[in-house]
Amino acid sequence: MAFQSKLISISTSFLILISTIFFHFTLLSSSYMLVHHINNNNEHNSHHRRPILQANQSQCSLFMGSWVHDDSYPIYQSSSCPVIDPDFNCQMYGRPDSDYLKYRWKPANCELPRFNGLEFLEKMKGKTVMFVGDSLGRNQWESLICLTWSSVPRVATQVIRAYPLSTFKFLDYGVTLSYYKAQYLVDIDSVGGRRVLKLQDISENAQAWRDVDVFVFNTGHWWSHTGATQGWDMMESGGSLYQDMDRMVAMETAVRTWARWVDSNIDTTKTRVFFQSFSPTHYDPSEWNGGSGSTTTAKSCYGETAPVSASAFLGVYPNEMKVVDAVLREMQTPVYMLDITTLSAMRKDAHPSIYSGDTSTGQKADPNGTPDCTHWCLPGLPDTWNQLFYTALFF
């Protein structure tokens, strides 16, 4: 009986040992499969890809983090990139400070890879990237050209600026970077001398969207424009014409029209689709009171020289983004959201303000009158947007 009990004890211990080894093997195998899955970045997964994680961290909030000072920035100088529009060329038009150029986005728990223009061209060889939307898309398009060109300044290039389509080609690599102006995404037609915004028609714009490998869409700012800055005279929806309607209802109708086009026309094995979130403005200092670099008499972004911390920013989540979020959730095609809204909201210092080729001498005499607190200086914040875009594409 003693021998039998001892045998049973040994057998039990052996089974426990085998079970423990199997458990750890299974855990290790599962961990490998998880890492392998993350690294493979399934093309049909619309969630954020993972950048370089720090030690002992399992996840990264790519679009949440902080701005850190980094003297290795900017990656390029405005004087070395002739495609920058006067609207965005703050250094050329007299901006006296330069610290706003030296901030790097630091996501929570990870480090972004630094943008490498040569790697971008090699991996995108023979392909086309198209930005579609308003002038914030043009802001980002010019930034991507400058970032890439800074790595290969002697390669053959070709630029064609036209309306609504502008292109920049890196001829040695067969890479085309395009910008198509469509601030509402949907079509605007001339009917009887009036501009009609066709909320349920996108066919005319979409003719230019063929044979594109990567899209970056955006819309938002123009939906709130009124008076002289309004881009249409009438709206058409459901076969009826309207002098006006709730702007967010109109925007949702248009974005759903765009979504139907994407779901019907995009082959996800060949084409990737990104949507740039709403780019915030800085006309109301009450949104960032208490933040670093804020001036006591500020009436706009003029004179702001440093970012604001996330905790000090009091802005609300834009209604435009609520519309986009609702539509994207219902789409069949995975669309990667470049969620730059919060990180851009911290950069009250990064706008052209009065330092733009579009600002007259009279306007500069009254800097709080009509500063540009919508667009962004180049070099500047859109370079970070493209660093995030670059990370999503390749990592």
Side-chain angles (χ1 to χ4, degrees):
M1 289 293 292
F3 174 76
Q4 188 176 16
S5 298
K6 186 174 183 180
L7 181 61
I8 292 172
S9 177
I10 292 172
S11 299
T12 303
S13 299
F14 179 74
L15 287 173
I16 292 172
L17 177 63
I18 292 298
S19 298
T20 302
I21 292 172
F22 179 76
F23 172 77
H24 283 289
F25 175 79
T26 303
L27 183 62
L28 181 62
S29 176
S30 299
S31 299
Y32 169 78
M33 291 176 66
L34 177 61
V35 171
H36 184 68
H37 172 74
I38 291 174
N39 288 340
N40 274 341
N41 289 304
N42 188 334
E43 293 296 328
H44 296 286
N45 188 343
S46 63
H47 294 291
H48 303 144
R49 296 177 171 217
R50 301 304 183 193
I52 302 169
L53 292 171
Q54 293 178 343
N56 302 320
Q57 299 293 345
S58 60
Q59 61 182 358
C60 171
S61 299
L62 191 60
F63 301 101
M64 297 301 293
S66 59
W67 289 97
V68 296
H69 198 271
D70 188 334
D71 284 329
S72 71
Y73 281 74
I75 293 177
Y76 62 91
Q77 299 296 326
S78 61
S79 58
S80 65
C81 189
V83 302
I84 301 176
D85 280 347
D87 299 9
F88 314 141
N89 203 333
C90 305
Q91 291 294 305
M92 177 177 285
Y93 287 93
R95 179 158 179 171
D97 60 308
S98 60
D99 249 15
Y100 71 95
L101 297 170
K102 298 185 178 298
Y103 284 95
R104 171 174 56 84
W105 178 244
K106 171 70 173 63
N109 302 334
C110 62
E111 292 287 346
L112 289 178
R114 191 176 177 93
F115 188 95
N116 184 314
L118 180 59
E119 180 185 37
F120 177 82
L121 289 173
E122 289 175 342
K123 290 189 174 183
M124 294 298 294
K125 185 172 289 187
K127 295 184 178 181
T128 295
V129 178
M130 180 179 284
F131 294 88
V132 180
D134 57 29
S135 54
L136 279 308
R138 178 163 56 91
N139 222 168
Q140 187 177 4
W141 171 64
E142 293 181 9
S143 161
L144 184 59
I145 294 171
C146 294
L147 284 167
T148 306
W149 201 356
S150 68
S151 295
V152 288
R154 293 179 179 82
V155 299
T157 61
Q158 179 189 70
V159 60
I160 301 173
R161 284 189 179 266
Y163 179 85
L165 178 63
S166 296
T167 60
F168 189 98
K169 296 183 179 182
F170 290 90
L171 299 175
D172 297 341
Y173 294 87
V175 173
T176 300
L177 306 181
S178 300
Y179 165 66
Y180 186 88
K181 184 175 182 179
Q183 57 267 47
Y184 301 103
L185 297 179
V186 292
D187 295 343
I188 300 177
D189 288 344
S190 179
V191 180
R194 294 184 300 181
R195 300 166 299 170
V196 178
L197 180 60
K198 311 195 83 172
L199 299 178
Q200 295 176 307
D201 191 354
I202 204 167
S203 57
E204 184 177 337
N205 285 341
Q207 290 180 17
W209 303 348
R210 297 168 181 161
D211 302 320
V212 173
D213 300 284
V214 181
F215 283 106
V216 184
F217 291 96
N218 89 290
T219 189
H221 283 270
W222 281 76
W223 293 99
S224 61
H225 287 195
T226 59
T229 63
Q230 182 174 291
W232 48 269
D233 301 308
M234 302 284 288
M235 292 184 184
E236 181 181 273
S237 182
S240 299
L241 290 174
Y242 300 87
Q243 289 188 335
D244 208 341
M245 67 169 68
D246 183 290
R247 299 304 181 85
M248 291 301 99
V249 171
M251 179 181 174
E252 181 174 352
T253 303
V255 175
R256 290 191 182 280
T257 300
W258 164 83
R260 284 193 295 273
W261 179 87
V262 170
D263 282 341
S264 300
N265 292 275
I266 293 298
D267 180 351
T268 56
T269 65
K270 299 178 180 178
T271 305
R272 294 187 62 185
V273 181
F274 292 79
F275 202 103
Q276 180 82 290
S277 70
F278 188 77
S279 174
T281 61
H282 290 90
Y283 291 97
D284 182 5
S286 67
E287 293 178 345
W288 63 82
N289 281 342
S292 61
S294 186
T295 56
T296 56
T297 59
K299 296 180 181 178
S300 66
C301 65
Y302 171 71
E304 298 294 343
T305 59
V308 64
S309 67
S311 60
F313 187 76
L314 304 176
V316 297
Y317 196 59
N319 288 328
E320 291 85 351
M321 281 315 304
K322 295 175 184 177
V323 168
V324 173
D325 286 342
V327 174
L328 294 190
R329 280 197 299 269
E330 297 176 11
M331 291 179 67
Q332 298 173 359
T333 305
V335 176
Y336 189 112
M337 173 68 80
L338 284 169
D339 192 1
I340 54 83
T341 302
T342 299
L343 65 91
S344 301
M346 301 181 203
R347 294 306 306 274
K348 60 184 172 60
D349 59 316
H351 296 285
S353 180
I354 64 170
Y355 304 107
S356 161
D358 197 36
T359 305
S360 68
T361 303
Q363 288 171 322
K364 288 184 177 181
D366 180 20
N368 281 314
T370 54
D372 182 354
C373 301
T374 298
H375 299 101
W376 307 92
C377 296
L378 291 179
L381 177 64
D383 301 329
T384 296
W385 299 351
N386 281 317
Q387 188 178 10
L388 292 161
F389 173 54
Y390 170 83
T391 301
L393 273 175
F394 303 134
F395 292 86

